Amino acid sequence: MDVETASDRCADILDAVAGTVIADRAVLDAILAGYLARGHVLLEDVPGTGKTLTARTFASALGLSFNRIQFTPDLLPADITGTYVFDDRDREFEFQPGPIFANVVLADEINRASPKTQAALLEAMEEGQVTVEGTTHGLPEAFFVIATQNPVEHQGTFELPAAQKDRFVVKTALGYPDEAGERAILDRRADRSDRIPSVEPVCSPDEAVELQTVSERVRVDPAVRDYVVRLGRRTREDDRVEWGASPRGIERLFEVSRAMALIRGREYVTPDDVKTAAPLVFAHRLVLTADARVTDVEGRDVVEDVLEATPVPTIT
């Protein structure tokens, strides 16, 4: 699959999702970019904005399997990864895979589970495998986690550790639709008998995996690479930041910028691709100082200031 074909396929995927999910196209771009970059996406939004529908629809459009895990305070790591069950017939223990064994996994309200259970996702998200009772089990080749958390309600929740946040290549929010969008939701609901809308697969599972490979062939000019590095390093120099973007964060910005270029139909990355991706990739990775948090400074504010202060390279 060449870049042009892959870009057309991405457009078809986004059109299919947008035909079911009422959301800003830029948000859908960000979610698909997270998948193409072989990362995972954190959606921080209030209930009822369509997070579950969005995750399910992306899985369907990509032709991939889907599982939803509802995170609760009493959820155990084995409830996610699976466990060994004794088989009376064969007289031996047999591994029963948990819901993590799917291509697209919705980790719904991830911050409601204990840190121990949240940690069960770390190996899966970083290594594409889980270890249960000393035995390692590989996950599907195209493995993509979309996690959600409620930014308003904090009772009974646990703060995601920095190591967990760092596993999400992109953090974004669906937000409320505009008035026309909410009217469209009502019209769609009135015109269908099935409560849950569905979308037909746009590509096969093999093609979905190949899209990730094509994204890695998008060219990045040396000047743009320098720009990516400068942005990451400047987040560490801001007085409002205790810990800035890590080398992994800089690498993730590079990967998401390539994915953005592919989605936009280009074989090369422009500074605009980087500027679009930077708030999505960096904001949730920054650890702000206590003074900054008291004055309601957010990571996105810092990233926007860094983008404004950093000279944009000219490429030919």
Side-chain angles (χ1 to χ4, degrees):
M1 185 184 298
D2 58 22
V3 172
E4 182 179 358
T5 302
S7 179
D8 290 342
R9 194 59 52 87
C10 288
D12 292 340
I13 291 169
L14 290 168
D15 287 343
V17 174
T20 300
V21 177
I22 303 296
D24 189 290
R25 185 65 173 241
V27 176
L28 302 183
D29 286 353
I31 296 172
L32 182 58
Y35 169 78
L36 295 175
R38 300 181 187 270
H40 310 283
V41 172
L42 178 61
L43 294 179
E44 187 173 71
D45 235 326
V46 297
T49 52
K51 298 184 292 293
T52 301
L53 176 62
T54 300
R56 189 190 308 274
T57 304
F58 262 104
S60 298
L62 288 164
L64 300 174
S65 61
F66 174 81
N67 274 338
R68 175 178 177 270
I69 305 173
Q70 180 63 55
F71 279 65
T72 57
D74 59 349
L75 190 73
L76 299 175
D79 296 329
I80 297 173
T81 61
T83 189
Y84 283 89
V85 177
F86 187 73
D87 189 333
D88 285 331
R89 184 181 57 187
D90 297 334
R91 309 300 297 173
E92 62 181 20
F93 284 93
E94 179 180 347
F95 180 65
Q96 296 294 324
I100 196 71
F101 285 85
N103 295 119
V104 180
V105 175
L106 174 63
D108 207 5
E109 296 186 282
I110 186 175
N111 57 334
R112 289 200 173 277
S114 68
K116 181 178 181 180
T117 302
Q118 291 176 12
L121 279 178
L122 283 176
E123 182 185 12
M125 294 170 64
E126 186 65 21
E127 305 294 338
Q129 63 184 32
V130 295
T131 302
V132 180
E133 296 185 16
T135 301
T136 299
H137 304 271
L139 294 169
E141 185 175 1
F143 177 67
F144 181 45
V145 173
I146 299 178
T148 73
Q149 64 177 8
N150 184 342
V152 177
E153 187 178 5
H154 298 291
Q155 184 176 3
T157 64
F158 300 86
E159 177 71 20
L160 292 183
Q164 184 87 1
K165 290 181 181 179
D166 195 49
R167 275 17 182 224
F168 293 102
V169 66
V170 162
K171 178 184 176 183
T172 187
L174 293 172
Y176 292 119
D178 58 20
E179 185 174 352
E182 293 190 314
R183 173 57 189 269
I185 291 174
L186 293 185
D187 291 343
R188 290 182 183 183
R189 182 66 190 94
D191 292 340
R192 71 173 191 267
S193 57
D194 187 4
R195 186 172 179 79
I196 302 177
S198 59
V199 62
E200 294 298 319
V202 172
C203 57
S204 68
D206 288 342
E207 289 174 326
V209 173
E210 192 174 359
L211 286 175
Q212 295 177 321
T213 303
V214 176
S215 177
E216 296 175 349
R217 299 204 300 266
V218 173
R219 300 192 310 273
V220 186
D221 188 90
V224 177
R225 299 185 188 196
D226 291 340
Y227 182 53
V228 169
V229 172
R230 282 198 300 271
L231 290 174
R233 294 180 67 85
R234 288 199 175 193
T235 64
R236 306 170 197 162
E237 300 167 2
D238 193 291
D239 293 338
R240 297 166 293 178
V241 177
E242 187 171 349
W243 296 100
S246 67
R248 177 189 285 147
I250 292 174
E251 182 180 13
R252 290 304 198 185
L253 177 55
F254 176 78
E255 294 165 349
V256 174
S257 298
R258 291 191 301 188
M260 284 292 183
L262 179 64
I263 290 171
R264 292 170 172 177
R266 279 184 275 99
E267 298 182 350
Y268 57 91
V269 173
T270 68
D272 281 343
D273 297 322
V274 179
K275 293 174 74 172
T276 299
L280 300 168
V281 176
F282 279 168
H284 65 287
R285 289 183 160 85
L286 304 184
V287 179
L288 304 180
T289 64
D291 289 343
R293 294 195 298 271
V294 167
T295 55
D296 294 328
V297 173
E298 297 182 352
R300 182 173 284 268
D301 299 326
V302 174
V303 177
E304 294 292 351
D305 290 344
V306 167
L307 287 169
E308 184 70 24
T310 305
V312 178
T314 301
I315 59 174
T316 58

